[in-house]
Structures are given as C-alpha cells and as structure tokens.
Amino acid sequence: MAKEVIALIPARGNSKGIPGKNIREFAGKPLIAHSIGAARKARHIDRVVVSTESVDVARVARRYRAEVLDRPPGLSQDDTPIKWVIDHAMDVLSSKGRPARAIVVLYATAPLRTAEDIDRAVAMALRLQDYDSVAGVCAASVAPFGGLVIEKGRLSYLVPAARRMYQRQLAPPWFALNGAIWVLNPARMNRVNLSLLGKRSYGFVMPAERSIDIDTEHDWEMAEFLARRGWARRSRP
C-alpha cells in the first residue's frame, strides 16, 4: 500500500479563550472549514483528518468532507501536548493499515494559510527526506535581544547581551513559529520534542498576513478583516 500524506487538523471543542471558536462563523463559514478547505485543495494532501473530542466539531468537519478521528477526553485538555495528540492519531491510523509518508498538522486557528502554502511546505519536506519537521515561520517584529521583562516594576533586558543595543537595521533576521503548518516525518517522531522541534527541523517562511494564529478576539477581528478583503491571499513571502 502506498504511503499517504495526511493532513491532521486538531480541533478541541472546549476552547477557553474564545468559547467554541473552532466552529464559530468566520468570514461566512465555520473557522475549521477554512483549514479543511485549504487541505482538500492542496495537491500533495491525500487525506484530511480532524482529531476532536467534540460531537459538534465532528459534525461540522464531516459536513465539509473531512474524516473524523475520535480523540479521548484525556488528550483534549488545555495542557495536553500536541505531540501526544499526533502520536494518538498516528497509532489509530496505522492500526487501520493506512501508513503515512508525512503528517501535516494544520491548526484550525490559522485560517489564512492557503493550499499553495501547504503544497510548498510539503514539497520542501519531501525534498529534504531526512528531516524531523518543517515548521511554518514568519519574520518577527521584535527580536529576542530587543525583548524586555518587568521585574518589581523595573524594565530589564530579556537577553543580557542586548545591553549592546542593536540598531534595527543591523539586526540579524529573526523568525517566530506561526503555528500555521507543521510537516512531520512519521519515521522520526521520536526525535522531536513536545514542541515538535528536533535537530533536523527546518523553517518554511510565510508572510505575516497569513501567519495570524487566532487566540483572542483582537486576533479574530484582524484575521477576519484580512480574509474578507482577500488581502492575505494576494501577499507572497
């Protein structure tokens, strides 16, 4: 049996920040439907699977033609590492005789990522072959050496070396994980940590406009504005 590239969309029903956000209407359809739609349009994706403990999320996922994998409630807590969720999904899928060539994790909270983004990230991973993970990243506006912390009301540098004060124009490029796309090598899952990073993890650079991860109402409004204007889809890395 040929190995498949499987898109895995983890979507809990008990979100705390924005209750029910994974199925709340976003730009005309449930939030999760945007990720399902992008995955279904991607040429490199063979199957789209939603991992959830929620009956409501499962119903919406099936409406938009995704497979549903029942996730145990114990793996649906606020502090459950995503790696455990992926390991569970891989165990279930492999037990059914459906080996994976790559697992592409797509969070429902990143609705602006496109099918083209997914295809490019998967193509990058398959070219590399000997990889642990390929992670979506975007240029960050504040580098670590520019970060500040407050201790007893006083400001201090997060990174002591920042006392040298880099000029912004001279600062090296710095990137942040955007959570939009993760491509994982099933054969090397034991080499990544709970944050899905290993010694052979690579960055897939995406524009900031498609890197919004919805966690707050402000994120929601910003992302929905970009979605309705179609501006995020026109931008390029």
Side-chain angles (χ1 to χ4, degrees):
M1 180 181 294
K3 292 187 176 181
E4 301 174 309
V5 176
I6 300 175
L8 179 66
I9 302 174
R12 296 188 304 139
N14 56 344
S15 171
K16 294 294 191 300
I18 304 177
K21 70 179 175 182
N22 286 321
I23 56 175
R24 175 175 162 180
E25 184 174 305
F26 175 90
K29 56 186 176 182
L31 182 65
I32 194 174
H34 295 269
S35 293
I36 294 173
R40 285 181 51 80
K41 291 176 183 176
R43 293 177 292 104
H44 287 313
I45 298 296
D46 299 306
R47 298 174 66 192
V48 182
V49 178
V50 172
S51 168
T52 186
E53 90 296 355
S54 166
V55 173
D56 293 331
V57 172
R59 181 169 57 249
V60 173
R62 291 190 178 98
R63 187 199 317 164
Y64 286 89
R65 301 170 63 190
E67 299 178 45
V68 173
L69 189 155
D70 292 327
R71 192 196 313 180
L75 291 178
S76 304
Q77 306 305 309
D78 291 337
D79 58 352
T80 300
I82 186 60
K83 187 175 184 299
W84 296 1
V85 176
I86 298 166
D87 287 340
H88 169 261
M90 289 178 58
D91 288 344
V92 173
L93 294 172
S94 62
S95 71
K96 296 181 179 180
R98 304 293 292 270
R101 184 182 184 190
I103 298 290
V104 185
V105 179
L106 306 172
Y107 286 103
T109 51
L112 301 182
R113 138 252 301 125
T114 65
E116 180 185 15
D117 291 327
I118 297 170
D119 277 330
R120 290 178 58 235
V122 174
M124 176 182 176
L126 297 182
R127 281 196 308 271
L128 290 167
Q129 296 185 357
D130 188 21
Y131 71 99
D132 296 334
S133 62
V134 169
V137 299
C138 64
S141 58
V142 178
F145 42 77
L148 299 169
V149 294
I150 299 178
E151 297 176 342
K152 296 182 179 180
R154 295 183 180 181
L155 290 172
S156 61
Y157 291 108
L158 177 64
V159 178
R163 294 179 184 279
R164 290 183 292 169
M165 288 301 293
Y166 288 84
Q167 292 183 8
R168 184 173 182 274
Q169 295 82 353
L170 301 179
W174 183 74
F175 299 90
L177 295 169
N178 64 10
I181 300 173
W182 285 91
V183 186
L184 301 168
N185 185 345
R188 297 176 69 94
M189 283 297 292
N190 63 335
R191 297 174 183 262
V192 300
N193 58 25
L194 294 181
S195 297
L196 306 181
L197 293 174
K199 292 183 178 180
R200 291 184 176 273
S201 290
Y202 297 82
F204 172 70
V205 181
M206 295 174 58
E209 293 79 11
R210 295 204 296 276
S211 296
I212 297 178
D213 180 31
I214 297 176
D215 188 50
T216 66
E217 288 289 351
H218 177 268
D219 298 334
W220 187 286
E221 291 184 12
M222 180 65 70
E224 192 163 39
F225 171 80
L226 293 175
R228 291 190 181 280
R229 292 291 297 270
W231 190 58
R233 290 182 176 274
R234 294 196 295 270
S235 63
R236 289 292 181 267

